[in-house]
Amino acid sequence: MLSIEGLVAGYDRLEVLHGLDLAVAAQQAVTVVGANGAGKSTLCRALSGLIKVRAGSIRFDGQDITHASTSARVRAGVIQVPEGRQVFPQMTVLENLALGAFVHGAPRDADLDPIFALFPILRERRDKHAGMLSGGEQQLLALARAMMSRPRLLILDEPSQGLSPKAVALVADAIAEIRRRGVAVLLVEQNLALATAVAQVAYVLENGQSLTHGPAEDILSGSLVADSYLGH
Ligand code: ATP
């Protein structure tokens, strides 16, 4: 479904990704792990079109989106939940969810029902300001808002950041369920418990390239991952 070949991207004179290859199959969750600065967030930005691709290609569902605009990617179903959640604290849960639906016009109850089925806590909190939610609930809201955009590929940049182990477990359950509903997931994650709970395939990123990839359970329990984390 997603196929990245020889991806080169960076900022001004800094090249961060030096020819990255990566693939995500339909209905698959792929996790990308690696030390700080390996280029994980840069990969997310290049995928969602926030930074320009300098060389290589990104294909999504057979379509070349290497140089497509962010909005064209969103319309194609490539939706990113950025690092740090970024829900709007002064807006209610419902208002935050409505923002996720803007791609398709105003949300109807028919759009909200499956979302609330997936995130029952948000139904209870629907009229609360997002800023009043716990960190874990805000992350669920960020996921739910992304789901309102009807993604076909969800890009998640460190959804565990700043969350308690209990909240991480809730987020892991939600992501696993999203994948079971047929959405492919690319998960950048330092939290191995979350990555292991969700992903079928793992890539280890080092210095802007893929060092290795394979079945998530093998890669995430292997010494390479331990080494790349010790390299912090
Ligand atoms: P982390 O877990 O710390 O976010 P990461 O693997 O996501 O690590 P990136 O954020 O992709 O790494 O950063 C890769 C390199 O790009 C780093 O050297 C970083 O300093 C640099 N970098 C990241 N964002 C920018 C930016 N907006 N402008 C310039 N350089 C940046």
Side-chain angles (χ1 to χ4, degrees):
M1 155 176 263
L2 177 75
S3 164
I4 300 171
E5 283 178 15
L7 185 66
V8 177
Y11 311 91
D12 298 322
R13 269 171 292 169
L14 177 67
E15 186 181 293
V16 176
L17 302 177
H18 312 289
L20 175 74
D21 298 322
L22 185 148
V24 181
Q27 308 195 2
Q28 192 177 55
V30 170
T31 190
V32 177
V33 299
N36 290 115
K40 304 181 299 294
S41 296
T42 303
L43 167 63
C44 293
R45 291 185 198 118
L47 275 178
S48 50
L50 295 174
I51 59 171
K52 278 201 177 121
V53 170
R54 297 177 182 179
S57 66
I58 306 174
R59 297 184 71 78
F60 181 65
D61 251 358
Q63 199 187 336
D64 187 337
I65 59 162
T66 315
H67 303 292
S69 66
T70 297
S71 58
R73 292 175 207 225
V74 166
R75 282 195 303 278
V78 178
I79 306 289
Q80 183 178 357
V81 178
E83 215 173 355
R85 307 191 273 275
Q86 302 185 11
V87 297
F88 293 91
Q90 306 296 344
M91 294 170 74
T92 66
V93 165
L94 265 184
E95 287 165 345
N96 270 278
L97 289 175
L99 285 179
F102 80 97
V103 196
H104 309 289
R108 295 153 306 179
D109 285 350
D111 298 315
L112 286 167
D113 285 343
I115 301 292
F116 285 145
L118 189 54
F119 304 96
I121 189 74
L122 297 181
R123 192 196 296 274
E124 287 171 32
R125 306 269 196 271
R126 56 193 289 164
D127 297 318
K128 287 227 172 352
H129 283 146
M132 302 299 287
L133 304 182
S134 69
E137 290 167 353
Q138 288 186 23
Q139 183 60 60
L140 294 179
L141 176 57
L143 284 172
R145 186 177 61 189
M147 287 300 286
M148 291 294 287
S149 310
R150 298 182 206 154
R152 305 192 48 240
L153 172 71
L154 203 53
I155 302 167
L156 307 173
D157 194 355
E158 301 222 20
S160 75
Q161 211 179 49
L163 299 186
S164 68
K166 205 172 145 199
V168 168
L170 284 178
V171 168
D173 287 348
I175 299 170
E177 182 57 29
I178 286 169
R179 188 194 68 80
R180 281 193 289 272
R181 291 184 182 199
V183 179
V185 175
L186 182 72
L187 169 70
V188 163
E189 195 41 83
Q190 304 268 26
N191 182 309
L192 292 185
L194 175 53
T196 308
V198 166
Q200 290 79 54
V201 172
Y203 281 74
V204 180
L205 220 67
E206 192 175 270
N207 294 326
Q209 283 180 319
S210 163
L211 198 58
T212 184
H213 69 277
E217 54 197 89
D218 300 343
I219 298 282
L220 297 175
S221 61
S223 58
L224 253 182
V225 166
D227 289 349
S228 95
Y229 281 79
L230 290 174
H232 269 189

